[in-house]
Amino acid sequence: MYLFIKAKEAGLIKENVFITTKLSKFKKLVAIHVDGETQKPDMDLVLYGVGKDDAIKDLMIISLKTSLRERAGQTYKWKLLLEIATSDNPIKTKYNINYPLNKIPIVCFATINFYNEINNPQHRGMFKFFDKSFIGKPIKADFIDNLSSLIDFANNKLS
C-alpha cells in the first residue's frame, strides 16, 4: 500500500485512479450470489477509476500473497466463478449464480514468492485465470510480470 501512496503522491498514478484497503464496500459490490449464499473475492487492495460524476467506472482487485499454495487457489476459484456468473451457460442456471455488477472487475494476483513455488506446474496453471499477475522477485516468464509494472498496468486499464 505504501508503494501506491508514494506513487500517487509523485503523480505516477492518474488523478482519477484511487487505491484503498477499506474493502467492505467493494466486497459487497463484487459479491457473487450462489443460490442465495454470498461468495466474496479474496482481495487485499482495490484500485478504481472514477468518471466525471465521481461514480466508480473501472475496478481492479488485487490479491497480495507471500505464498501461492492456498491463496492463489482461492482467488482463481473466485475468478472462475465470476466468469461463470457473467456468461450464459447451464452451470450458471443449475447453481442459480448471480452477479449484480454490470462490469467485471480486473482480477490480479501479486506475490513475493518467498517459498519459490512459482515454477510448480500446478501453480503456474492458476495464473492463466487472472487478468494479470505480478511477482516481487526478478523473473522472466510469459505468465507473470515484475511487480514494478503494476502501476503502468493500472494506469492503462483504469479510466
Side-chain angles (χ1 to χ4, degrees), residues 21 23-24 26 29 35 41 46 50 66 78 107 124 130-132 141:
T21 57
L23 305 174
S24 60
F26 292 99
L29 188 66
D35 201 29
V46 172
V50 295
T66 57
W78 182 85
V107 179
R124 283 200 336 247
F130 304 122
D131 295 309
K132 195 69 158 173

Side-chain angles (χ1 to χ4, degrees), residues 29-92:
L29 188 66
V30 297
I32 298 168
H33 304 282
V34 180
D35 201 29
E37 302 296 328
T38 303
Q39 301 291 313
K40 296 177 183 172
D42 179 37
M43 58 188 192
D44 299 298
L45 283 178
V46 172
L47 283 73
Y48 60 99
V50 295
K52 292 180 181 175
D53 59 354
D54 287 334
I56 296 172
K57 194 171 177 187
D58 296 308
L59 190 62
M60 179 185 296
I61 63 174
I62 304 172
S63 181
L64 304 167
K65 303 300 173 215
T66 57
S67 167
L68 298 178
R69 279 174 268 200
E70 295 172 19
R71 298 304 190 159
Q74 291 171 355
T75 305
Y76 103 81
K77 287 175 189 172
W78 182 85
K79 173 68 160 101
L80 183 57
L81 185 58
L82 177 64
E83 296 287 337
I84 293 168
T86 55
S87 64
D88 290 324
N89 63 62
I91 295 171
K92 178 180 175 180

Side-chain angles (χ1 to χ4, degrees), residues 76 79 121 123-131 133 142-143:
Y76 103 81
K79 173 68 160 101
H123 293 136
R124 283 200 336 247
M126 288 186 235
F127 289 104
K128 297 183 185 306
F129 289 91
F130 304 122
D131 295 309
S133 298
D142 60 352
F143 63 93

